[in-house]
Amino acid sequence: MAENKLAKVAAEARLCTRCPLYQTAMQTVFGEGPVGARLMLVGEQPGDQEDLVGKPFVGPAGKMLDKALIDAGVDRTKVYVTNVVKHFKNEPRGKRRLHRKPNRSEVEVCKVWLDQEITIVRPQLVVAMGVTAASALVGEAVTLSRLRGNEIAFADGQRGVVTIHPSSILRAPDEIGRRLAYAGLVKDLKLALTRARPRSP
Ligand code: URA
């Protein structure tokens, strides 16, 4: 059964030492959601909260994503949510752990897990959130603005849509910037929802 297969892959990922990131993270944060979900959302890597809780998108970026999903009419419980990199890459600063961007080799090495999630979950459409996810799925460095607004095909032929990372809304310099960025995310999620059609028989 696909659920068992996914659980087995998640268990293997929990023991992953394919790159050094497991050494400074608390745990592997694997994807979450139903097998057969029509939509799969892919972020960059777990953040501080996700690393502590062991679930994707439960921290501030997750709250922003939850709000955008509601506004786009997407039920998160029916969506598979995951990340390209499964360990939190961080740098200690006093009592805090600062987010560090994963490098190309960490992304490449970790993508075996995402590839298996896609194969087993078989989503109709994958939404790459942010440039790390988009570049990993397209297979080369991309510019988000060039790819947004239309359905595209990722490197493996998987149907996809590209959007911003929800955390970029939190980093916008002012309220107008935040509103515009948020509206853009909701618009992209609505596009994804309309494109995630059921498979023809
Ligand atoms: N940012 C991500 O890319 N993924 C998470 O799970 C949380 C924050």
Side-chain angles (χ1 to χ4, degrees):
M1 230 169 95
E3 279 80 5
N4 295 344
K5 257 196 208 165
L6 191 64
K8 192 163 167 270
V9 175
E12 285 166 17
R14 246 168 249 131
L15 304 175
C16 186
T17 55
R18 291 168 58 93
C19 82
L21 294 187
Y22 75 95
Q23 294 168 352
T24 49
M26 299 290 291
Q27 58 187 315
T28 299
V29 178
F30 202 72
E32 185 182 65
V35 168
R38 286 191 196 165
L39 268 183
M40 178 182 284
L41 307 183
V42 183
E44 181 190 274
Q45 61 164 325
D48 182 69
Q49 306 255 327
E50 289 79 11
D51 183 51
L52 298 173
V53 174
K55 288 173 181 286
F57 284 100
V58 293
K63 303 269 177 297
M64 184 61 75
L65 176 62
D66 285 348
K67 188 162 152 5
L69 286 171
I70 291 169
D71 285 345
V74 179
D75 179 351
R76 177 166 171 169
T77 65
K78 299 209 165 95
V79 169
Y80 190 89
V81 181
T82 192
N83 286 297
V84 176
V85 170
K86 309 295 194 224
H87 280 116
F88 175 37
K89 181 171 181 178
N90 66 88
E91 188 181 303
R93 264 303 151 76
K95 286 190 181 157
R96 297 180 59 211
R97 298 185 300 164
L98 298 187
H99 163 279
R100 288 183 59 213
K101 225 177 171 38
N103 62 37
R104 220 173 57 196
S105 114
E106 288 152 357
V107 168
E108 256 167 40
V109 159
C110 205
K111 192 163 172 284
V112 291
W113 303 118
L114 176 61
D115 289 342
Q116 292 183 81
E117 288 175 294
I118 293 174
T119 304
I120 298 169
V121 175
R122 295 187 71 224
Q124 293 294 309
L125 196 92
V126 172
V127 182
M129 299 188 294
V131 76
T132 302
S135 300
L137 285 156
V138 169
E140 62 188 32
V142 297
T143 309
L144 290 187
S145 55
R146 293 226 187 102
L147 299 179
R148 281 179 87 182
N150 290 303
E151 182 183 320
I152 61 169
F154 291 136
D156 57 359
Q158 168 68 54
R159 295 169 55 210
V161 160
V162 165
T163 190
I164 55 167
H165 193 284
S167 67
S168 67
I169 300 167
L170 301 165
R171 290 195 306 270
D174 54 32
E175 185 56 26
I176 294 180
R178 272 191 292 280
R179 279 182 194 221
L180 282 173
Y182 179 78
L185 174 62
V186 171
K187 188 171 171 214
D188 292 337
L189 291 172
K190 281 186 180 163
L191 169 70
L193 184 64
T194 57
R195 294 301 172 118
R197 296 179 297 265
R199 278 180 197 93
S200 43

